[in-house]
């Protein structure tokens, strides 16, 4: 109940032991409130086993969102061996229960994880402390350090440079160049309470160099203050000119176009038909322009290009055949068309004679379609007739 000022009295809802101690100092507890529930040592050990794969998380944003949408999205992104148990324990505070070591390692130590572009901060949780008191220090991100001179591209130098960005988890000295530029790739844990580092400095005998830092798949960050979790329009009085923005999209790594297979492809053929090459014209050494029949000299026929092929399906003009061939072909055609009377009678006998004496060469129609219901009814009728006939025969035998 609220007091006269309209505020609710302080209570243990925050879970802080100091508030509970203050309340117990002037409250009198009854017997039911003093009746303890005792958890044995063995039971506590079993409970600790089930709490081995716990993690707690929060979304680094000041905006509201649906907890159910977060759970469904992260289950799809994580794609774990077993679906985790998710529970909301406070305002923008969630507990995830994994069921095996591999799933727990993936959720806690990999990433960065993002939800709708906002960063999801994950910390290990033992299940004993108050979730509201868990400190979310940072998140793991992939960063790139560009422009290190080849002479000083050494592990010891890169490690020192990476520590200027965050806690180092992994260093790739010679990564595959999926992004633009000449860089080393590092995995670090950055502090969300500090701005994202934009440059790291390297002092050499030749002078001081500023090396650009770029990030891969980093969540939303402010272009004014560099903090993860909000936009520059939500920072301060939310009115900033472009020249006042100290951070921007130039800090994001740019993925390269897929050119790894183009350089190794030979010119010509189908490979050369794209990208400005001239395709088959390069292979054949000719021009890519279409040629006319006059350019190709197709109108002038010679003995080598004249069509002299013949086939049974391609009749040959009679004016091109000698007289002997014409006579033989005509005689052969007559032999094929002449049919004796005996052959004609045999063919007629094989055909059905119609009602009116004409020849009927139409095939017999197919049997009429009978559905399953009619078939079943016919079977029942035939079965009834058979039973009736058998009963009659038995009656006749009995009378005899």
């Amino acid at each position: 109940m609220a007091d006269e000022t309209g505020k609710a009295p302080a209570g243990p809802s925050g879970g802080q032991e100091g508030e509970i101690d203050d309340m117990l100092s002037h409250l009198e507890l009854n017997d039911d409130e003093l009746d303890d529930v005792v958890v044995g040592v063995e039971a506590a050990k079993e409970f600790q086993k089930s709490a081995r794969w716990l993690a707690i998380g929060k979304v680094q944003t000041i905006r509201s969102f649906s907890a159910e949408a977060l759970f469904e999205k992260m289950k799809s992104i994580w794609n774990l061996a077993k679906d985790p148990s998710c529970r909301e324990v406070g305002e923008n505070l969630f507990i995830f229960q994994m069921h095996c070591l591999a799933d727990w390692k993936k959720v806690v130590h990999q990433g960065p994880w993002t939800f709708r572009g906002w960063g999801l901060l994950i910390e290990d949780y033992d299940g004993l402390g108050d979730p509201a008191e868990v400190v979310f220090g940072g998140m793991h991100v992939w960063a790139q350090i560009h422009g290190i001179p080849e002479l000083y591209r050494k592990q010891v130098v890169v490690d020192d440079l990476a520590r200027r960005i965050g806690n180092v988890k992994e260093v790739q000295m010679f990564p595959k160049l999926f992004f633009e530029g000449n860089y080393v790739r590092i995995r670090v844990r950055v502090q969300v309470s500090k701005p994202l580092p934009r440059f790291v400095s390297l002092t050499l005998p030749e002078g001081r160099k500023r090396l650009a830092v770029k990030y891969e798949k980093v969540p939303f960050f402010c272009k004014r203050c560099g903090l993860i979790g909000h936009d520059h329009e939500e920072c301060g009085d939310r009115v900033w000119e472009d020249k006042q923005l100290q951070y921007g999209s130039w800090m994001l790594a740019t993925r390269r176009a897929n050119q790894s297979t183009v350089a190794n492809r030979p010119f010509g053929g189908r490979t050369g038909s794209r990208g400005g090459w001239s395709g088959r014209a390069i292979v054949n050494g000719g021009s890519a322009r279409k040629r006319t029949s006059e350019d190709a000299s197709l109108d002038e026929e010679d003995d080598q290009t004249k069509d002299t092929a013949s086939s049974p399906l391609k009749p040959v003009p009679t004016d091109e055949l000698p007289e002997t061939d014409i006579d033989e072909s005509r005689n052969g055609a007559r032999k094929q068309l002449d049919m004796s009377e005996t052959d004609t009678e045999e063919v007629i006998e094989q055909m059905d004679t119609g009602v009116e004496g004409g020849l009927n060469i139409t095939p017999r129609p197919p049997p009429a379609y009978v559905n399953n219901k009619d078939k079943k009814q016919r079977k029942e009728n035939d079965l009834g007739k058979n039973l009736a006939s058998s009963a009659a025969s038995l009656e006749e035998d009995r009378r005899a």
Side-chain angles (χ1 to χ4, degrees), residues 10 42 52 99 149 197 270 288 308 347 384:
E42 297 298 328
R52 287 181 300 178
H99 302 286
R270 291 186 178 181
T308 58
V347 173

Side-chain angles (χ1 to χ4, degrees), residues 347-355 357-365:
V347 173
I348 294 175
E349 290 178 359
Q350 294 177 2
M351 299 181 181
D352 295 333
T353 304
V355 178
L359 296 178
N360 183 14
I361 60 176
T362 303
R364 296 180 181 179

Side-chain angles (χ1 to χ4, degrees), residues 228-358:
I228 294 176
H230 66 272
D231 190 69
H232 67 279
E233 295 181 352
E234 303 169 342
C235 184
D237 60 5
R238 305 183 184 182
V239 178
W240 304 101
E241 297 180 2
D242 292 341
K243 63 182 180 180
Q244 295 177 311
L245 301 180
Q246 302 296 313
Y247 302 80
S249 58
W250 50 270
M251 298 170 54
L252 304 178
T254 304
R255 186 172 289 274
R256 296 179 60 191
N258 187 15
Q259 300 178 351
S260 59
T261 58
V262 175
N264 297 328
R265 288 179 179 176
F267 291 133
R270 291 186 178 181
T271 306
S273 62
R274 296 179 181 267
W277 298 342
S278 56
R280 294 184 179 179
I282 297 177
V283 178
N284 299 329
S287 174
R289 182 176 59 88
K290 292 184 178 180
R291 297 189 298 173
T292 62
S293 59
E294 296 178 356
D295 296 337
S297 302
L298 297 179
D299 295 338
E300 300 177 0
E301 295 185 358
D302 53 9
D303 296 338
Q304 296 180 355
T305 60
K306 186 177 294 185
D307 186 9
T308 58
S310 61
S311 67
L313 300 179
K314 184 178 180 181
V316 180
T318 56
D319 55 353
E320 297 182 4
L321 292 175
E323 295 181 357
T324 56
D325 295 341
I326 296 176
D327 295 338
E328 292 179 359
S329 62
R330 290 177 179 176
N331 294 334
R334 291 194 187 97
K335 291 180 181 180
Q336 293 180 1
L337 293 176
D338 290 341
M339 296 180 62
S340 61
E341 296 181 357
T342 57
D343 296 337
T344 306
E345 294 176 356
E346 291 178 359
V347 173
I348 294 175
E349 290 178 359
Q350 294 177 2
M351 299 181 181
D352 295 333
T353 304
V355 178
E356 298 180 356

Side-chain angles (χ1 to χ4, degrees), residues 3 68 82 106 111 124 162 200 210 227 240 248 264 275 288 393-394:
D3 57 10
E68 294 298 329
K82 299 179 181 179
K106 182 175 183 180
D124 186 15
V200 289
R210 302 285 188 184
L227 294 178
W240 304 101
N264 297 328
S393 60
L394 290 174

Side-chain angles (χ1 to χ4, degrees), residues 100-129:
C100 64
L101 178 60
D103 290 349
W104 179 83
K105 284 184 176 180
K106 182 175 183 180
V107 172
V108 175
H109 295 290
Q110 294 188 19
W113 308 119
T114 59
F115 170 67
R116 297 178 180 175
W118 305 317
L120 176 61
L121 310 181
I122 298 289
E123 296 289 344
D124 186 15
Y125 183 55
D126 58 1
L128 294 176

